[in-house]
Amino acid sequence: RLPPPRRQRERARRVPGMATKESQTLPQKEAAVFKTIVKFYETKQYKKGLKAADSIIKKFPNHGETLAMKGLTLNCLEKKKEAYELVRLGLKNCMTSHVCWHVYGLLYRSDRDYKEAIKCYKQALKRDTDNSQILRDLSLLQIQMRETSGFAETRRRLLTLNPKNRNNWIGLAIAAYTAGDLAMALQVFQSYEGTVEGEVLKPDYEHGEMLMCKNRILEELGDLEATLAHLVQSEPLVLDKIALREKKIYLLLKLERLGEAEAVCRELIAINSENHRYHDSFLLTLGCSKPSAG
């Protein structure tokens, strides 16, 4: 006996109330409303978000992403049980949606269940591999959980997606540093500097902090002369002059260049004469030992 036609077989397998692929695609009008739900969530206008979600669910009760977003909004209104039920129902109706998996992860993150949140973010990235927002959220939880190798890989993916963003270079360098790979961290900073070579750089806080971070890596690699040379070279671009001078004193003392260290100590004492560390360093430049704590 021949099997029934394909359409007839599909109809026979379909469970009443089960979401279909077609039910997960919203018309243009409702799709625009869905975007407002996300906007209302981000701006903490939760009641408006619920109203918008209900307007879609009334017409499309099985739409997974809307159910998930309604659940996420309810979570912000301290209705956790209902929130989890809706998000799970939304995910059940649309397992292939990166939005549903991301929302599920955000729900777990709000309850500080970071391991489960990470699992959800990874599932979301299987559906949308180049989603920068999910990658950023994942990287934050990975460093929170001390998953240093995973954190470094996630930051590498973010840099690959947007190499023009300076924060992505800094993020990867910090990730390599936290993973204990100092050589890699230094290489990332050097590669970034290659991308801006020839440009006229103006002092700004972020760039200055990046230079100070690179300086710390050079120090930990053990080449103090190179570290001091880099610090002097970076001085015009570092806005935190106090931190830079403090680091310069430390390096000059380590290198036993006491005369130069004394001059910098005098500069800092003139700025803040009540800082006892400056006076301690000044005494060291004169060949005296630090006074005892007593």
Side-chain angles (χ1 to χ4, degrees):
R1 185 179 177 181
L2 294 174
R6 180 179 177 184
R7 186 175 296 177
Q8 187 177 338
R9 294 200 307 272
E10 290 178 350
R11 194 179 295 119
R13 287 196 301 266
R14 192 172 296 164
V15 180
M18 180 181 176
T20 62
K21 185 177 180 181
E22 291 77 13
S23 69
Q24 299 306 307
T25 304
L26 293 174
Q28 187 174 358
K29 180 181 177 181
E30 281 70 23
V33 174
F34 180 81
K35 290 180 180 179
T36 66
I37 300 173
V38 178
K39 182 179 178 181
F40 287 140
Y41 169 76
E42 292 174 344
T43 55
K44 299 183 179 181
Q45 299 181 69
Y46 302 128
K47 290 184 178 179
K48 289 183 179 180
L50 289 177
K51 186 177 180 180
D54 286 335
S55 70
I56 297 176
I57 293 171
K58 186 176 181 180
K59 296 180 181 178
F60 304 93
N62 293 323
H63 188 251
E65 293 182 354
T66 302
L67 290 167
M69 282 303 303
K70 181 179 179 181
L72 186 62
T73 304
L74 286 171
N75 183 61
C76 297
L77 296 173
E78 301 301 325
K79 298 181 179 180
K80 287 191 174 294
K81 183 178 179 182
E82 191 176 349
Y84 272 99
E85 288 174 355
L86 279 172
V87 172
R88 285 167 180 157
L89 178 59
L91 187 58
K92 179 181 177 182
N93 289 343
C94 194
M95 294 286 289
T96 59
S97 167
H98 74 276
V99 173
C100 291
W101 281 107
H102 189 196
V103 167
Y104 202 17
L106 292 173
L107 209 58
Y108 275 123
R109 188 185 72 178
S110 71
D111 288 335
R112 299 185 179 181
D113 192 343
Y114 300 136
K115 286 186 178 180
E116 289 300 318
I118 287 173
K119 290 178 184 178
C120 292
Y121 290 160
K122 288 180 177 178
Q123 287 292 333
L125 288 168
K126 287 181 181 179
R127 279 83 184 169
D128 188 2
T129 56
D130 294 339
N131 190 303
S132 296
Q133 183 58 57
I134 301 174
L135 285 167
R136 280 193 294 270
D137 287 348
L138 174 61
S139 71
L140 290 174
L141 290 192
Q142 285 173 322
I143 193 60
Q144 175 79 17
M145 298 301 291
R146 302 297 187 267
E147 293 184 10
T148 54
S149 59
F151 177 56
E153 172 58 21
T154 303
R155 295 307 313 189
R156 185 195 64 77
R157 289 171 66 181
L158 280 165
L159 177 60
T160 302
L161 287 172
N162 188 4
K164 293 183 179 180
N165 188 328
R166 180 171 62 192
N167 290 334
N168 288 338
W169 288 94
I170 297 172
L172 180 56
I174 297 300
Y177 178 81
T178 56
D181 193 345
L182 298 180
M184 179 63 184
L186 181 61
Q187 184 181 340
V188 172
F189 278 129
Q190 290 171 339
S191 297
Y192 168 72
E193 289 167 354
T195 66
V196 296
E197 191 174 358
E199 296 183 18
V200 178
L201 298 176
K202 296 181 180 180
D204 69 73
Y205 183 78
E206 280 189 4
H207 188 67
E209 289 302 295
M210 185 192 74
L211 290 170
M212 293 298 287
C213 184
K214 179 185 175 183
N215 193 260
R216 177 172 176 172
I217 292 168
L218 284 168
E219 178 195 342
E220 292 190 22
L221 285 169
D223 191 344
L224 296 183
E225 288 287 357
T227 306
L228 180 60
H230 173 262
L231 192 69
V232 172
Q233 182 185 8
S234 304
E235 189 165 358
L237 298 174
V238 176
L239 291 179
D240 191 350
K241 302 298 185 185
I242 299 297
L244 185 138
R245 286 170 175 167
E246 290 174 347
K247 183 66 178 289
K248 187 183 286 186
I249 291 172
Y250 169 79
L251 293 171
L252 288 169
L253 286 173
K254 282 281 186 180
L255 293 168
E256 298 183 353
R257 291 162 62 171
L258 302 182
E260 295 172 67
E262 179 188 343
V264 183
C265 283
R266 289 183 183 279
E267 292 175 7
L268 286 177
I269 291 171
I271 295 170
N272 182 6
S273 61
E274 296 182 4
N275 191 316
H276 67 86
R277 293 185 295 111
Y278 300 161
H279 292 281
D280 290 345
S281 297
F282 180 66
L283 289 173
L284 291 175
T285 66
L286 300 178
C288 304
S289 59
K290 291 183 183 179
S292 62

